[in-house]
Every structure is written in structure tokens, then in C-alpha cells.
Amino acid sequence: MKKFLALSLIGTLALASCNQANVTGSAKTYTFAAQTQAGYTTQAGTASRTDLNTGDTSTVLKASGLKPSTAYIAHYHVAGADTSKGVCASNGAVQNGLIGGTPFTSDAGGNLTIKGLATTSDIAVGNVKYINIHESATPSVVPLCADLTVAAK
């Protein structure tokens, strides 16, 4: 009976290991730069981008110092025509829609986490130059921007 139980356990473990995907990736983290906006004085955060071997990219944005209980959206952007003041000020076009596909709401302390998954080729680093976080109700209000052209942490 013990032999049967041991073989059953080994068989179960072997089958379970066959169902696990071997997903790997390389992560890069960028620091958000505070953008001058009325009502914001302490905004900060990080943008982490992980290119996975599956052809997808995971994006995790963490922010603090935002307005409490407020909806925010985030986008990848290409560089605009005039980058003389930096890519974040270049007003480049949105690439691949909303990160995470929907607005996310900050907590009562003004903290926010946005997570999204996209096809890597849609947001290739050679094309996209920055990520910014906007107020959802007023997209012209951009409290944070991460410049992807600088060295990642």
C-alpha cells in the first residue's frame, strides 16, 4: 500500500510539473518624474516593464501623492515632433490604448497601482518613448511621466 501511495504521489507531481509554463522575462524599472500640475505637490512613483518570452509585456505602474479616490488612466506614447524639452513634454501620440484597458482609482491616501499586459511588438521600446498617468476625467492633467529613453534601474 505504501508503495502504491508513493507512486501515486510521484505521478501526480510529474503531471503537475508538465502543466507549468516556463515564462521568463527581463524587467526594467523607470522612475516617474513629477509634472507641474495644479493640486499636485508630492506625486512620485515607478513604471516597471517586463518583456516576457511569450511575446507579451507586463507593465506595473505604482504612484503615490495623487488625488485621493480619483480615477486615472495611463498610456505608452511615441515621441512628439519637438523633443527639445524632453520626450515627456513632446505631446506624442498614444500607442496601444490604455495600460490595463480601463481607468484605475487611487485609494484614500492617493496611492495607485495600474497593471497591464500587451503584445510586446505593439509597445516596442524602439517606438514608445514614455509612459504617463493622466486624470481620467481631465486627460490634460498629467501628474507623472516616465521617460523610457533614460537608463532603467
Side-chain angles (χ1 to χ4, degrees):
M1 181 69 161
K2 287 182 184 180
K3 193 175 194 179
F4 177 73
L5 183 59
L7 288 174
S8 294
L9 182 60
I10 290 171
T12 301
L13 291 174
L15 286 174
S17 68
C18 290
N19 292 328
Q20 294 179 356
N22 188 16
V23 177
T24 60
S26 59
K28 293 182 179 177
T29 301
Y30 302 87
T31 301
F32 273 118
Q35 305 298 295
T36 304
Q37 294 289 329
Y40 293 89
T41 58
T42 62
Q43 70 271 32
T46 58
S48 296
R49 176 191 166 105
T50 305
D51 293 331
L52 304 170
N53 66 344
T54 60
D56 296 311
T57 294
S58 167
T59 304
V60 178
L61 311 177
K62 293 185 180 242
S64 61
L66 301 177
K67 292 179 181 175
S69 305
T70 301
Y72 289 90
I73 55 177
H75 302 103
Y76 277 95
H77 289 262
V78 297
D82 180 4
T83 59
S84 62
K85 295 180 183 174
V87 293
C88 287
S90 71
N91 199 29
V94 170
Q95 186 75 11
N96 199 50
L98 296 177
I99 296 173
T102 186
F104 289 77
T105 301
S106 59
D107 67 16
N111 300 304
L112 175 71
T113 299
I114 295 176
K115 296 179 182 181
L117 190 66
T119 303
T120 301
S121 60
D122 291 344
I123 53 171
V125 173
N127 298 328
V128 296
K129 302 298 182 191
Y130 64 98
I131 297 171
N132 59 20
I133 296 178
H134 310 255
E135 286 185 6
S136 182
T138 313
S140 62
V141 176
V142 180
L144 292 167
C145 182
D147 182 344
L148 305 179
T149 67
V150 300
K153 293 196 262 177

